[in-house]
Amino acid sequence: MAHLVQQAFGSNNVNLYEDVLKVPKDCSLAQLRKAYYKQALQFHPDKNDSVHAKLTFQAISWTYQFLRDPERRARYDEDGTIPRDQEVDGEETSEWKDYFDRIFGKVSKTKIDEFAMKYKMSGEEEKDVLENYEKFRGDLTRMLEYVMLSGEGDLSRWMEDYINPAILAGKVPDYSETSMKVINRINKKFGAKAPKKEKGTD
């Protein structure tokens, strides 16, 4: 049976830092905790009750609990092996929810929505969007998997508010041709117009 994390993220080669918590390997404990909070909120059972979300929430919680232990983290950093001590049918979602609540306090749907409102259109969101824009070479579909609290409705806004200005300023490479293919495909589905490309981004 696959490990909890591998089952949730659909890969035997999942990286606990980059794929699960979205942090660099050399992150501090404080950065690890912040990343856990951000990622877990997206899949918190009080916000999202789908089967996959529950499994992902468990996997994120397990990863934080695992990496916050210095000895276990050091072993993982050395060989990249996820121990087989947590199978898919191990801890219940409710137990991981209690674990999350012990660290951060109880989280309501309202609190999660408030967090989302603060994140949207913030400097932190802009940073996440531009980092992933470069990482995935303009593939907005892949970016949706890594920019938290995001959906297809955010893509045009990202292009207009963050990506096009950053291209014009020379802060990021121009992958707009790839990005616009995704935008146009989604807009056809919803019958909307794609955002105009800024002058100078050709």
Side-chain angles (χ1 to χ4, degrees):
M1 185 180 292
H3 185 279
L4 169 66
V5 175
Q6 294 166 336
Q7 179 75 6
F9 287 84
S11 172
N12 289 331
N13 298 316
V14 62
N15 184 290
L16 297 183
Y17 294 105
E18 296 179 0
D19 299 326
V20 182
L21 294 181
K22 310 294 192 295
V23 290
K25 184 178 179 179
D26 60 353
C27 68
S28 66
L29 185 58
Q31 290 172 318
L32 201 69
R33 187 191 304 271
K34 182 179 180 181
Y36 169 44
Y37 182 74
K38 287 170 58 177
Q39 298 305 321
L41 274 186
Q42 296 184 73
F43 303 97
H44 195 282
D46 289 346
K47 177 71 174 179
N48 192 331
D49 61 359
S50 71
V51 174
H52 180 262
K54 290 178 179 178
L55 183 62
T56 304
F57 178 79
Q58 293 177 45
I60 291 168
S61 298
W62 181 90
T63 298
Y64 171 71
Q65 186 187 63
F66 175 74
L67 291 177
R68 71 189 299 270
D69 182 285
E71 291 185 6
R72 293 197 294 179
R73 180 176 178 176
R75 287 198 296 271
Y76 176 75
D77 288 352
E78 185 177 343
D79 60 22
T81 301
I82 300 175
R84 294 285 178 175
D85 61 354
Q86 177 64 61
E87 303 294 345
V88 173
D89 57 354
E91 303 290 341
E92 296 294 330
T93 302
S94 60
E95 294 179 32
W96 284 120
K97 182 176 178 295
D98 289 342
Y99 175 71
F100 182 93
D101 291 346
R102 286 199 302 273
I103 298 173
F104 301 110
K106 290 188 178 296
V107 176
S108 64
K109 183 179 183 297
T110 300
K111 188 172 181 180
I112 296 172
D113 289 339
E114 289 174 352
F115 178 82
M117 289 178 65
K118 290 180 181 178
Y119 178 75
K120 297 276 186 176
M121 293 176 283
S122 69
E124 186 175 8
E125 184 193 45
E126 180 178 13
K127 178 176 177 290
D128 291 344
V129 168
L130 294 180
E131 283 182 354
N132 285 286
Y133 175 78
E134 285 199 72
K135 179 178 180 180
F136 297 113
R137 303 175 68 84
D139 188 338
L140 300 178
T141 303
R142 291 293 310 280
M143 289 169 63
L144 288 174
E145 302 174 23
Y146 287 83
V147 179
M148 69 175 183
L149 303 169
S150 63
E152 290 181 344
D154 293 305
L155 300 184
S156 291
R157 177 175 63 82
W158 288 355
M159 290 297 298
E160 293 174 352
D161 293 354
Y162 305 142
I163 297 172
N164 282 339
I167 292 172
L168 283 173
K171 294 179 179 178
V172 296
D174 186 355
Y175 301 124
S176 56
E177 184 176 349
T178 299
S179 300
M180 293 310 298
K181 287 180 181 178
V182 177
I183 292 283
N184 289 330
R185 184 174 68 248
I186 292 172
N187 285 339
K188 281 182 181 178
K189 183 169 64 175
F190 292 104
K193 292 183 178 180
K196 291 183 178 179
K197 191 176 180 182
E198 299 282 349
K199 287 186 177 180
T201 58
D202 292 324

